[in-house]
Amino acid sequence: PTIIIASRAALQSVPPSIREAALGIGASPLQTQFHHVLPLALPGIMTGAIIGMARALGESAPLLMIGMIAFIVDSPQGITDSATVLPVQIYLWADSPERGFVERTSAAILVLLGFMVVMNLAAVLLRRRFERRW
C-alpha cells in the first residue's frame, strides 16, 4: 500500500498543463504518459518504493505472526549460509537465555537500524537527484 499510494500521489502531482501541452503538440495519450508524465513522477515513485521496502524490512510483528512457520534456528556461519530475516533473528536471539546472545542481539539491531538509515538516505538522494522543476 505504501508504494501504491506514493506512486498515485506522484502521478497526480504532475500538473495538468504538462499533459495538455503534450496532447496539444500531437502526442498520443500513451506517449503523453510515457514521455512526459512518467519521467516527472519517477522520483516520487522511486522514493515510495524504497521507503516501502525499508518499512517492510523493519516491521517484525507480521513476520513473527506469519513467517515463523519456516524459520531457521541455527545462526549463519558464512555469507552463503541460509538464514532467516533479521527481525525474526533478533527476536530469537533476544529470547535466548545465554549471555552471549545479548551482544548478538545488540549488533543485529544496530545492523537493522543502519540498513534502515541507508535505505531512507538513498530515497532522499534519489528523489533530490531526479526531481525536476516545471
Side-chain angles (χ1 to χ4, degrees), residues 56-79:
L57 289 172
E59 289 188 14
S60 58
L63 293 172
L64 294 174
M65 295 300 290
I66 297 169
M68 289 295 283
I69 297 168
F71 69 94
I72 299 165
V73 179
D74 296 334
S75 59
Q77 301 300 323
I79 203 139

Side-chain angles (χ1 to χ4, degrees), residues 16-86:
S17 60
I18 300 287
R19 292 179 179 91
E20 293 168 1
L23 292 171
I25 60 171
S28 70
L30 190 62
Q31 289 174 331
T32 300
Q33 294 299 321
F34 279 111
H35 295 288
H36 299 284
V37 175
L38 193 60
L40 291 174
L42 195 60
I45 294 170
M46 288 187 331
T47 301
I50 291 172
I51 290 175
M53 286 188 303
R55 189 171 165 195
L57 289 172
E59 289 188 14
S60 58
L63 293 172
L64 294 174
M65 295 300 290
I66 297 169
M68 289 295 283
I69 297 168
F71 69 94
I72 299 165
V73 179
D74 296 334
S75 59
Q77 301 300 323
I79 203 139
T80 58
D81 290 346
S82 58
T84 186
V85 291
L86 198 53

Side-chain angles (χ1 to χ4, degrees), residues 58-121:
E59 289 188 14
S60 58
L63 293 172
L64 294 174
M65 295 300 290
I66 297 169
M68 289 295 283
I69 297 168
F71 69 94
I72 299 165
V73 179
D74 296 334
S75 59
Q77 301 300 323
I79 203 139
T80 58
D81 290 346
S82 58
T84 186
V85 291
L86 198 53
V88 173
Q89 194 68 47
I90 291 170
Y91 176 77
L92 292 174
W93 284 344
D95 199 33
S96 296
E98 293 88 14
R99 180 161 168 77
F101 283 103
V102 174
E103 290 84 12
R104 283 188 180 183
T105 305
S106 302
I109 290 171
L110 288 175
V111 167
L112 185 63
L113 183 64
F115 185 71
M116 299 288 288
V117 168
V118 167
M119 292 288 281
N120 285 322
L121 183 67

